[in-house]
Amino acid sequence: MAYRGFTDSQIEAFMWIMKTSSATEAASKMLISQPAISRLIKQLEARLGFDLFERHNNRLLPTRRGTLFYDEVERVYIGLHHLRQFAERLKERVAGQLRVVSMPSFAVSLVPDAATLLAEQFPDLEISLYSYRSSQIAEEVVAQRFDFGITTDPRIDPRYQSFQYSLPGMCLIPPGHPLEAKALIDIEDFANETLICGEPNEQSRNRITQRLRKHAVSPKKIWTVSLGEMAIRLVANGAGLAVLNAVSACYAKRAGVVVRPLAFDIHYDFQIILPLEKDLEPAINNINAELIALVEQKIFESLKMFG
């Protein structure tokens, strides 16, 4: 007989008989009668066009084709189980979850503060905060593993929404350092000083090193850190000078570090990226709009602090 499809109940009955080796136990698992189980198996065999079991003394023994079919059904059912779990996670997110991912420099400063304010507006919202490298964040948002992302990756992609921002760089100075007396820090002030920078591929490090090269200024040495928090702590300990964005500099000031504007332009570009509106529930779109407003508020407060 030609294949015409089969039902979930027929497959479930087949699976339980294979697992229990008993139609009676299979019926118990499915909360139906034994004749109903037998009927489902007969219907499935009719649709497949071959026998799944041989009947010996009221026992059902799988045929060779039945065993091969079971192996494939089990493989597919594992995939379906994962699919159902994924669908449940999506449903939960729509019901009240927001997943935010940020590059490290804002993950420990800007994002937690903005998320705290967001939670006050949406007390039932469950918020998850993650920190990834900027190069990873765009693809994570495109794959809808996150609802909100902040990245220094400059790429613009039609697969997501993008909101562009730029922050001025600020100089971090240890308390008591001679440069504390200056209102503006010149590029020449870094001569013979220890400079604490981000990793070599970061935009901020590239801009400061290009400026140093252009003016033939040589620091005594350069320390490399992967987190802005590391730079803040090192400066607070008197290890050297650092240049960070204005938002991170606010947190440095609260930690007792001296912060001064630069007499030259070192700016930090970043973007907020969101999944396309059509890919999100209206409630998440509204929450994202509120979170953007809160992030912009924090940026404004940071800029205001330094005039």
Side-chain angles (χ1 to χ4, degrees):
M1 179 180 295
Y3 168 72
R4 297 177 304 178
F6 37 78
T7 68
D8 288 345
S9 295
Q10 292 164 2
I11 294 296
E12 187 178 1
F14 169 67
M15 293 283 288
W16 278 121
I17 291 178
M18 290 294 292
K19 288 178 179 180
T20 64
S21 301
S22 167
T24 301
E25 289 188 37
S28 176
K29 295 290 186 182
M30 292 183 66
L31 303 178
I32 60 178
S33 66
Q34 183 174 336
I37 282 282
S38 298
R39 185 164 56 251
L40 288 170
I41 293 301
K42 288 180 180 178
Q43 291 170 351
L44 179 59
E45 289 177 329
R47 280 163 170 72
L48 293 173
F50 56 81
D51 291 339
L52 295 168
F53 299 97
E54 296 176 351
R55 291 151 181 86
H56 294 287
N57 300 323
N58 294 324
R59 294 185 61 199
L60 295 175
L61 301 177
T63 63
R64 179 177 176 277
R65 285 179 173 176
T67 299
L68 293 173
F69 185 65
Y70 175 73
D71 291 341
E72 187 66 14
V73 168
E74 189 174 40
R75 184 186 65 80
V76 171
Y77 259 59
I78 290 173
L80 287 174
H81 176 68
H82 290 162
L83 189 61
R84 290 190 188 100
Q85 287 183 325
F86 179 70
E88 286 298 317
R89 288 197 298 271
L90 289 179
K91 184 171 67 175
E92 289 171 1
R93 284 172 60 188
V94 170
Q97 287 192 343
L98 183 74
R99 292 167 58 86
V100 180
V101 61
S102 172
M103 79 274 198
S105 60
F106 287 162
V108 295
S109 56
L110 179 64
V111 171
D113 282 0
T116 300
L117 295 174
L118 185 71
E120 293 174 1
Q121 296 184 32
F122 300 91
D124 295 328
L125 182 66
E126 183 179 315
I127 304 174
S128 300
L129 306 181
Y130 293 82
S131 175
Y132 284 15
R133 288 183 176 274
S134 278
S135 58
Q136 297 176 262
I137 291 174
E139 291 303 322
E140 293 291 325
V141 172
V142 169
Q144 297 189 49
R145 284 186 277 271
F146 292 96
D147 308 300
F148 191 104
I150 304 180
T151 176
T152 55
D153 188 334
R155 292 175 297 174
I156 305 297
D157 194 305
R159 295 177 297 170
Y160 53 73
Q161 304 177 70
S162 174
F163 302 85
Q164 307 290 314
Y165 300 88
S166 186
L167 288 169
M170 309 295 291
C171 184
L172 275 55
I173 304 168
H177 190 284
L179 289 177
E180 184 177 356
K182 296 195 66 172
L184 289 174
I185 304 302
D186 296 299
I187 190 66
E188 290 79 12
D189 291 325
F190 291 96
N192 298 315
E193 296 284 351
T194 297
L195 179 59
I196 301 164
C197 291
E199 296 179 358
N201 60 342
E202 289 185 357
Q203 57 166 265
S204 58
R205 176 159 178 168
N206 289 335
R207 285 170 179 166
I208 188 78
T209 52
Q210 287 170 9
R211 178 76 62 161
L212 290 168
R213 217 176 287 123
K214 179 180 178 181
H215 292 269
V217 174
S218 299
K220 180 170 61 177
K221 58 183 174 181
I222 294 179
W223 285 23
T224 299
V225 296
S226 60
L227 296 174
E229 285 291 310
M230 294 177 179
I232 292 171
R233 182 58 63 87
L234 287 169
V235 173
N237 290 343
L241 309 177
V243 176
L244 291 182
N245 65 76
V247 170
S248 297
C250 285
Y251 294 88
K253 190 172 183 179
R254 293 173 195 166
V257 170
V258 177
V259 179
R260 295 288 183 266
L262 298 169
F264 54 95
D265 177 37
I266 295 292
H267 57 279
Y268 291 72
D269 300 324
F270 68 97
Q271 58 177 327
I272 292 175
I273 58 175
L274 313 175
L276 298 175
E277 287 191 22
K278 67 180 181 65
D279 295 329
L280 288 175
E281 291 294 318
I284 296 298
N285 278 318
N286 293 336
I287 291 169
N288 277 345
E290 290 296 329
L291 186 51
I292 288 176
L294 291 170
V295 167
E296 291 177 345
Q297 176 186 324
K298 286 294 178 183
I299 291 172
F300 175 76
E301 291 172 357
S302 301
L303 295 175
K304 187 177 179 181
M305 179 179 289
F306 300 114

